[in-house]
Amino acid sequence: MMRVAKIFMDDLKEEQWLNDMANKGWYFKKLRFPYYTFEQGEPGQYTYRLEMLSGLGSKTDLDDYLEFVESTGIEVVQKRFNWAYFRQHTSKGPFELYSDAQSKLSYVQRMYGLFLVLILINVMSAVANAAESGTGAFAHVNDFMSGLSTGVVAALIIPFIKIAKRKRNIKKELELFER
C-alpha cells in the first residue's frame, strides 16, 4: 500500500496521473482528501476514468447508473459525493465513458456549471466580507474570509477557463458533424 497526498483542480490531469500510476503498477483504491491510496500490482493492468455524475439528489438514478456501468464489466473503484472513479482491465480494450460528442458535452457542461456556481458563491462572499471589513468586532474575521474567498476564486479561474475551452471545442466538433 502507498498513500500519496495530492490536490487536483483538473479532472483530466487527475485521470492522467491515476493512469500513469497504474502503468507503474500502482492501482488507485480510495481517496480520503487529499490522500490517494494505492495497492501494488502488475503494471498496466487497468485504465481509470473519472466522472462527475449527474442526478445530484436522486440516489436511485445514481445507483441505477452505477449498477449499469458495473454490468458492463467496469469497476466502480470509489464514489465520493458526485464524483466516481472507474477502472477497467486493459485486456477488455480501450476504455471510454463517453463514446459520442453530445455525451462529452453534457459531462463538460455539468463541470462548467459546478465551477461557475463555486466561483459566484466565493465572489459574493469576498464582496460581502470586504464590505464589512474594517468595522465592528469581527473586522479581522471579515478580512480573513474576504481574502480566503478571493483565493478560492483565483484557484478556480484557471480550471474554469480550461473547462470552458473544452466545452467550446466539443461544440465545434458537434457543429462539424451537423454540417
Side-chain angles (χ1 to χ4, degrees):
M1 292 286 228
M2 176 173 67
R3 284 180 49 175
V4 177
K6 207 157 177 82
I7 297 173
F8 288 96
M9 298 294 286
D10 183 327
D11 64 316
L12 295 177
K13 286 184 179 178
E14 182 180 12
E15 188 176 272
Q16 182 60 50
W17 180 68
L18 293 175
N19 285 310
D20 289 345
M21 294 295 286
N23 287 333
K24 296 174 185 172
W26 290 102
Y27 297 105
F28 171 68
K29 294 304 291 179
K30 66 180 177 183
L31 170 64
R32 299 279 184 254
F33 186 80
Y35 295 101
Y36 291 80
T37 302
F38 296 88
E39 68 179 9
Q40 195 164 24
E42 292 294 318
Q45 289 186 340
Y46 291 98
T47 302
Y48 287 85
R49 295 288 178 241
L50 310 180
E51 182 180 16
M52 179 184 164
L53 302 168
S54 63
L56 184 64
S58 174
K59 185 173 177 359
T60 305
D61 290 344
L62 285 177
D63 290 344
D64 289 347
Y65 174 71
L66 294 175
E67 281 181 31
F68 166 74
V69 170
E70 286 182 318
S71 74
T72 64
I74 297 168
E75 181 182 346
V76 179
V77 179
Q78 182 176 12
K79 178 188 168 297
R80 187 167 176 87
F81 303 111
N82 241 31
W83 285 95
Y85 295 82
F86 301 100
R87 75 179 185 181
Q88 178 177 284
H89 201 276
T90 53
S91 66
K92 293 183 178 179
F95 173 33
E96 294 295 332
L97 288 172
Y98 300 105
S99 57
D100 62 282
Q102 188 60 49
S103 59
K104 287 179 188 173
L105 179 61
S106 177
Y107 170 67
V108 171
Q109 284 177 326
R110 287 195 304 269
M111 291 187 30
Y112 181 86
L114 173 67
F115 274 79
L116 183 61
V117 167
L118 291 174
I119 288 171
L120 291 176
I121 287 171
N122 280 286
V123 165
M124 289 188 300
S125 174
V127 170
N129 282 297
E132 294 295 321
S133 180
T135 61
F138 297 105
H140 292 77
V141 173
N142 289 333
D143 288 343
F144 174 76
M145 292 305 294
S146 180
L148 180 65
S149 294
T150 302
V152 169
V153 169
L156 293 173
I157 286 294
I158 290 175
F160 179 71
I161 291 170
K162 287 180 178 179
I163 291 169
K165 286 180 180 177
R166 283 168 62 188
K167 182 178 160 186
R168 186 182 65 222
N169 289 339
I170 294 170
K171 281 186 173 180
K172 283 182 182 176
E173 184 181 330
L174 280 171
E175 288 173 6
L176 286 175
F177 287 113
E178 290 175 358
R179 290 181 186 177

